[in-house]
Amino acid sequence: MGLIWHGVDEIPEDFGPTAVTIGNFDGVHRGHQQVLGRLLSTAKENGSRAVAVTFDPHPAQVHRPDTAPHLIMGIEDRLAALSGYGLDAILVLHYTLEFAQQSAEDFVRSIFVDALHASHVVVGHDVRFGRGNAGDLAAMQELGERFGFGVVVVDEFTEQAPRHRAAEALPDAAEGDSAERDGAEGYDAEERRCSSTWVREALESGDVRTAAEILGRPHAMHGTVVHGASRGRALGFPTANLSHDAAGHVPADGIYAGWLIDASGTRWPAAISVGSNPTFAGVARQVEAHVIDRPEEAPEDFDLYGQNIVVEFVERLRGMVAYRGPEALVEQMKLDVDAARHVLATSGQGGAPAR
């Protein structure tokens, strides 16, 4: 793993020369990955060290905290994802309103030139930096000429937008309601730039399959298992409840097929519920995962309480609806588990077997 610095004062004076990129990197999606790949190749070609510069908190959380988007991943998961690409170092800059007042030139001089001794800066066409985002690609290129670093421009990474078929209605125990089985069929001809905004849109509509295509991996949440109301256990479907401060964007309410990764790193197939469970009154919105085909051992030997776990979302099975009572809910849960088992068996992703 490379170095992680939380501020320029932690950078050794003799570190460099460097190839540098900059961004929020929320989600570390395939567009980001293309930039990181170009950063690494640029560093190798020029005998420099690859450094990514990012911000914490996200600038939107500072400038417009009431309307800032939900983050796809927390800062620790973002740093772990960035580190996985073999960077020499990551510089995390603490973002404040005072920090945001730096001019584009002052920012480049203090960070890229004085602190990182950059020989090259790798950016996309839409790069923005400095006070009021006044700095753009042309400004970066002009500053590169002035301060002696090259600017490498990476083209946008695009994907075809998936086209969804009409959801298949499943019988529901409540009159006038139905549970919908989701699915995708084919792609539109139109391509769209891979972006964090697109990932958020997909998650907010429950389309975790599209989110995974943009991210290059399943969307995940990361948090501690806490005690819940134990309704799932009473119904024969014990669940691991994520704490409400779990990191990662919560997708739309519904039932999902996915994976639970425990503290030991073991991947367990899971049926995941997101929502307030409208069959029962007064239930807060919750993310909870039921491990499918748990090990043949005493329940107390498969205790996840207090563990830091990861929950990955592979496919949305249906929306969240209210049932007439626990019996109808149990019958639907059996169908959900069967559907999740089938999805995960054909997903091509490794883990403990879904039997």
Side-chain angles (χ1 to χ4, degrees):
M1 178 181 289
L3 301 168
I4 297 178
W5 302 311
H6 293 270
V8 294
D9 56 327
E10 297 183 8
I11 304 173
E13 292 185 4
D14 60 350
F15 192 89
T18 64
V20 183
T21 192
I22 182 172
N24 293 312
F25 298 108
D26 187 23
V28 194
H29 54 66
R30 294 174 71 187
H32 296 141
Q33 293 164 29
Q34 179 164 281
V35 172
L36 294 171
R38 189 66 177 275
L39 174 70
L40 290 167
S41 63
T42 298
K44 183 176 181 180
E45 291 165 4
N46 294 278
S48 53
R49 306 176 81 173
V51 180
V53 178
T54 191
F55 306 99
D56 183 49
H58 191 290
Q61 294 177 316
V62 174
H63 290 288
R64 43 189 180 91
D66 294 336
T67 59
H70 295 291
L71 296 184
I72 299 166
M73 55 173 38
I75 181 61
E76 295 303 323
D77 290 328
R78 190 195 332 165
L79 294 178
L82 288 170
S83 297
Y85 287 93
L87 302 174
D88 292 293
I90 302 168
L91 171 61
V92 184
L93 296 174
H94 182 56
Y95 196 90
T96 64
L97 290 175
E98 180 181 4
F99 177 89
Q101 291 306 304
Q102 294 181 88
S103 69
E105 180 177 336
D106 287 344
F107 174 80
V108 166
R109 181 192 293 112
S110 63
I111 304 300
F112 293 170
V113 179
D114 295 343
L116 290 172
H117 311 296
S119 64
H120 292 82
V121 175
V122 180
V123 293
H125 289 273
D126 61 348
V127 64
R128 291 292 186 275
F129 59 99
R131 183 171 54 244
N133 278 337
D136 57 9
L137 178 58
M140 185 70 79
Q141 291 170 326
E142 189 276 327
L143 291 168
E145 292 178 2
R146 188 188 311 177
F147 291 119
F149 59 80
V151 177
V152 179
V153 183
V154 182
D155 290 333
E156 293 180 343
F157 188 92
T158 59
E159 275 284 322
Q160 287 183 299
R163 182 176 65 253
H164 293 279
R165 66 172 181 260
E168 175 188 353
L170 295 177
D172 176 30
E175 287 186 7
D177 292 332
S178 66
E180 294 180 340
R181 187 73 73 198
D182 294 341
E185 182 177 299
Y187 293 84
D188 290 331
E190 179 182 356
E191 291 194 341
R192 181 174 177 180
R193 180 176 71 92
C194 287
S195 67
S196 301
T197 297
W198 190 9
V199 175
R200 294 187 195 104
E201 289 175 1
L203 294 174
E204 287 161 11
S205 67
D207 188 1
V208 295
R209 189 188 304 180
T210 291
E213 291 178 3
I214 306 166
L215 292 168
R217 63 187 183 281
H219 173 62
M221 294 186 65
H222 192 165
T224 304
V225 177
V226 297
H227 289 274
S230 298
R231 286 194 178 91
R233 183 176 297 277
L235 297 173
F237 295 88
T239 59
N241 296 264
L242 278 183
S243 59
H244 290 291
D245 61 354
H249 196 310
V250 182
D253 288 4
I255 306 300
Y256 296 82
W259 299 94
L260 183 154
I261 306 168
D262 65 21
S264 72
T266 302
R267 295 169 60 86
W268 299 100
I272 306 162
S273 171
V274 178
S276 58
N277 196 337
T279 303
F280 301 98
V283 179
R285 194 163 187 252
Q286 181 73 53
V287 177
E288 49 188 321
H290 168 70
V291 171
I292 299 172
D293 302 324
R294 289 162 53 126
E296 296 294 338
E297 56 189 28
E300 59 269 19
D301 294 330
F302 192 69
D303 185 0
L304 298 174
Y305 289 121
Q307 284 195 28
N308 212 359
I309 67 167
V310 175
V311 174
E312 292 183 349
F313 300 83
V314 174
E315 185 170 322
R316 189 173 189 252
L317 302 175
R318 63 173 177 87
M320 184 68 75
V321 295
Y323 291 87
R324 289 196 183 101
E327 295 80 8
L329 176 59
V330 167
E331 291 305 309
Q332 182 60 59
M333 292 168 74
K334 291 177 181 177
L335 295 175
D336 294 336
V337 167
D338 287 342
R341 184 185 289 112
H342 173 74
V343 167
L344 298 174
T346 57
S347 68
Q349 300 176 24
R355 297 185 294 248

